[in-house]
Amino acid sequence: MTAQLRTAPDQDRFTAETERFRRELLAHCYRMVGSAHDAEDLVQETYLRAWRSYSRFQGRASIRSWLYRIATNVCLTALKPRPIRMLPSGLAGPYDGPDRPPNPVAPGEVSWLEPLPDAWIAPSAGDPAAMVIERESLRLALIASLQHLPARQRAVLILREVLAFSAAETAEILDTTTAAVKSGLQRARARLNELEPEPEGLLEPTDERARALLDGYIAAFERSDARLLEQVLRTDATLEATPFRDWQAGRAMCLHILDAYVLGAPGDWRMIATTANGQPAAVVYHRNDDGVLRADGVVALAATATGVSRVVKFHDPALVATFGFPHVLTR
């Protein structure tokens, strides 16, 4: 009976065995490529390839590791012709030149990192501790750093450190040796430590302190009140926004740029709280000249016990729909 099913698998059995891994595979592909939309496409390709080869799956490995082998190789193939996705802070140091509005990068010059809606990967129920680990492995700072690793080193690090596959299992997934896995992991760890030597202790987005910081940030924009922002940001806060090359370091510089070029008048901005990459976030609307509040993008905050240490704004109206919100606010 089993052999017959292996020879001619039906859709119901395939779905029952594989569908429960879809969300974690989406998170895996996102860590690899830094784009929510690309990750979604790569998961679709993973399931298409898995279905096509399901009749040849003999169960020597678990169905989970088999799917991860397919997904990882799909990602590695997709990454070969693509530039890495970055944040402005990955291009150069903070801007310290003459006062000017933020300087946008020419379209197509840089591939920008994208935020990941928590709702895309959050399980309906699960171990709270495991959910915390999952969120920590998707923080924006970590995802941005991962993109600077060579693709196979990135895969080794994610499979070993995030997903807890053994060296032997990782070697099987990547069709290499355990010695190569151990060497790749050592190099990846060293490079990651250079990029992010002291990862911050961020508050969980459900923490009351994190929500208070997000509420304060939203209120500051909606009221056009720089003094409220001063209360929210740490003295060493950084501010960056895609698709702009310039980014600011230090609360004074952040406040100057926002007050001089961004905040506008009370009512120009509307924000709705959400979560992205395991961090407090908001979808952003801006009131245009016609008086209509239209989608503007998504902002994510790095919330700590002493205030917001990092603000990353993704200026892309299409992201608002990705997070499940309308393009235009009618009230």
Side-chain angles (χ1 to χ4, degrees), residues 134-155:
E134 176 86 356
R135 284 196 292 265
E136 288 178 349
S137 72
L138 291 166
R139 305 291 199 204
L140 279 172
L142 176 59
I143 297 300
S145 295
L146 286 174
Q147 306 313 302
H148 290 273
L149 298 177
R152 286 184 69 84
Q153 281 186 28
R154 194 184 317 165

Side-chain angles (χ1 to χ4, degrees), residues 88 91 95 100-106 112 241 243-248 257:
L91 298 175
Y95 180 72
R100 69 180 188 191
N103 181 30
V105 174
W112 297 112
F244 301 99
R245 183 180 301 276
D246 301 339
W247 62 282
Q248 287 68 44
I257 288 294

Side-chain angles (χ1 to χ4, degrees), residues 46-292:
T46 295
Y47 274 82
L48 180 60
R49 292 190 187 186
W51 168 246
R52 287 173 175 169
S53 60
Y54 185 59
S55 62
R56 298 189 298 276
F57 175 64
Q58 298 177 350
R60 287 195 294 264
S62 69
I63 193 80
R64 180 174 181 263
S65 62
W66 178 67
L67 286 171
Y68 269 100
R69 176 171 187 158
I70 297 171
T72 302
N73 284 286
V74 165
C75 289
L76 291 173
T77 299
L79 284 167
K80 287 179 181 177
R82 302 184 189 184
I84 66 171
R85 289 185 174 270
M86 307 179 73
L87 291 173
S89 54
L91 298 175
Y95 180 72
D96 60 358
D99 189 18
R100 69 180 188 191
N103 181 30
V105 174
E109 183 178 338
V110 176
S111 290
W112 297 112
L113 195 73
E114 291 180 359
L116 178 71
D118 282 3
W120 280 24
I121 52 95
S124 55
D127 179 4
M131 293 171 66
V132 169
I133 294 171
E134 176 86 356
R135 284 196 292 265
E136 288 178 349
S137 72
L138 291 166
R139 305 291 199 204
L140 279 172
L142 176 59
I143 297 300
S145 295
L146 286 174
Q147 306 313 302
H148 290 273
L149 298 177
R152 286 184 69 84
Q153 281 186 28
R154 194 184 317 165
V156 167
L157 184 77
I158 294 168
L159 291 167
R160 293 284 286 117
E161 303 266 293
V162 177
L163 297 167
F165 283 107
S166 69
E169 289 171 324
T170 302
E172 175 71 19
I173 288 171
L174 293 173
D175 194 21
T176 187
T177 64
T178 55
V181 166
K182 292 175 181 178
S183 175
L185 179 60
Q186 187 175 27
R187 292 195 299 271
R189 283 173 175 164
R191 178 59 176 144
L192 204 62
N193 286 336
E194 292 175 3
L195 295 165
E196 192 185 12
E198 295 182 6
E200 282 191 298
L202 299 185
L203 300 173
E204 287 295 304
T206 53
D207 191 300
E208 290 183 3
R209 295 167 295 173
R211 183 53 193 261
L213 289 169
L214 177 61
D215 289 346
Y217 188 88
I218 291 173
F221 265 79
E222 294 186 346
R223 300 175 194 174
S224 186
D225 189 338
R227 292 173 300 176
L228 277 176
L229 278 176
E230 188 173 6
Q231 297 173 24
V232 169
L233 300 178
R234 286 190 347 189
T235 56
D236 62 348
T238 61
L239 170 69
E240 54 189 315
T242 64
F244 301 99
R245 183 180 301 276
D246 301 339
W247 62 282
Q248 287 68 44
R251 181 168 61 194
M253 283 297 298
C254 297
L255 290 173
H256 170 70
I257 288 294
L258 291 172
D259 196 23
Y261 301 109
V262 181
L263 284 180
D268 281 355
W269 298 95
R270 183 77 58 81
M271 297 186 184
I272 302 174
T274 185
T275 55
N277 295 81
Q279 299 172 217
V283 292
V284 182
Y285 293 85
H286 186 254
R287 195 178 304 277
N288 294 338
D289 294 338
D290 58 6
V292 176

